[in-house]
Amino acid sequence: MSKFIDKLKNVSKGYVRPMGFNAVASVPQPKMLLAAELGIEDLTDKETFGGADVVIVSAGKASAKKLKETADMLGDTIWGVALGDKAADAEKMAKAGADFVVFSPDAEVSPLTALEKTGKIIMLENNLTDFMIRAADCLSVGAVIVGEQADTAALSWRKIMLYQRFVDILSKPFLVRVSSNITLSELQSLWALGIDGVLVSGNAGLKELRTLIDGAEWAAKRKRGHMSAIVPSLKMPTSESVAPEEPEEPDEDD
């Protein structure tokens, strides 16, 4: 089972206060997860990914030897591989030690369904229809990343509205792509929506983001999940019961 997907699920469930006399009061409250996407050639030393909870490696056509060297350098850091639509390399990445693979909806099905212990994360465009988002939520994947391209733009109201759709429909944990210069208030706005983590491209500003996240207070997130349709109830009003009139008794003189 994927360690990263387990972490995402724990964050998505939220903080549960321990109960009982032996409860540990120091259980850490969940906070926004930070993922970094880096090219395999950019991973020259541990400083390049310092601060990230997880690293997504763009491996391209890296050799098995290069993958082994990268895995050794990453050490205990959880890492996965961005496959795009090239799912044929999924097994090779899993054997190299990848905790999960990230793929696009155009990737072939067979190489990915063959993975048993490696997590699967699908990357979706942020302008999908509600129907397609619901369909993605039914797939046998552990999590979702919203945004297929690196994002350098500031957080806008349009993005908030687009993310709100995913929050209302998806039951799976998910991350969104953000700019590395995102502010703390913007991160907390995403967290309040129900978003579990953010993904930045490259290592610029990575340590600063780590400091922001670790030093902030993360409020309890609101519940999210499937958006259900509201069906109006047509209920006829109950008519008041009227007692039947008793017939008048005829007069004795008649």
Side-chain angles (χ1 to χ4, degrees):
M1 184 59 68
S2 166
K3 294 179 181 178
F4 180 48
I5 292 177
D6 282 346
K7 290 186 71 170
L8 276 171
K9 288 180 178 178
N10 288 335
V11 169
S12 186
K13 289 176 183 176
Y15 173 69
V16 179
R17 184 178 297 278
M19 300 178 66
F21 293 105
N22 296 323
V24 180
S26 60
V27 176
Q29 186 166 346
K31 57 187 174 183
M32 180 78 77
L33 291 177
L34 175 59
E37 184 177 25
L38 298 164
I40 195 168
E41 299 299 333
D42 298 326
L43 290 166
T44 54
D45 54 59
K46 293 183 180 295
E47 290 295 318
T48 57
F49 57 88
D53 293 304
V54 61
V55 175
I56 300 176
V57 181
S58 297
K61 296 182 179 180
S63 64
K65 180 182 178 181
K66 182 63 177 177
L67 287 170
K68 177 67 167 56
E69 292 173 355
T70 302
D72 291 342
M73 184 181 58
L74 287 165
D76 294 333
T77 302
I78 301 174
W79 65 282
V81 177
L83 296 175
D85 58 358
K86 309 298 182 184
D89 292 333
E91 185 177 358
K92 181 176 76 171
M93 302 305 175
K95 288 181 178 179
D99 177 72
F100 61 91
V101 292
V102 181
F103 57 93
S104 77
D106 294 322
E108 294 181 27
V109 173
S110 297
L112 294 167
T113 54
L115 300 178
E116 296 181 357
K117 298 182 180 180
T118 307
K120 294 183 282 291
I121 300 176
I122 191 168
M123 188 172 288
L124 303 176
E125 299 175 0
N126 60 15
N127 59 353
L128 289 180
T129 63
D130 291 1
F131 175 81
M132 292 296 286
I133 298 174
R134 290 191 186 94
D137 200 46
C138 296
L139 298 177
S140 57
V141 298
V144 172
I145 293 176
V146 178
E148 290 190 313
Q149 302 296 327
D151 194 339
T152 58
L155 186 66
S156 65
W157 289 106
R158 177 179 293 276
K159 287 181 183 178
I160 289 288
M161 290 187 290
L162 290 172
Y163 296 154
Q164 183 69 63
R165 292 170 57 246
F166 283 89
V167 167
D168 288 339
I169 298 173
L170 283 179
S171 62
K172 298 181 186 296
F174 75 101
L175 303 87
V176 297
R177 283 187 179 272
V178 297
S179 169
S180 60
N181 59 3
I182 189 170
T183 65
L184 177 58
S185 61
E186 290 172 335
L187 285 171
Q188 290 175 327
S189 295
L190 295 177
W191 176 261
L193 280 180
I195 294 168
D196 306 303
V198 292
L199 170 62
V200 296
S201 298
N203 63 348
L206 194 57
K207 290 184 178 180
E208 290 76 9
L209 274 178
R210 177 80 276 157
T211 302
L212 276 181
I213 292 173
D214 288 346
E217 293 186 5
W218 300 94
K221 297 189 300 179
R222 70 175 181 81
K223 294 181 180 179
R224 65 178 180 84
H226 290 288
M227 182 173 58
S228 57
I230 300 175
V231 181
S233 174
L234 298 177
K235 190 174 181 180
M236 298 298 293
T238 305
S239 59
E240 296 181 0
S241 57
V242 179
E245 296 182 0
E246 296 182 359
E248 296 181 359
E249 295 182 0
D251 294 336
E252 294 181 356
D253 296 337
D254 293 344

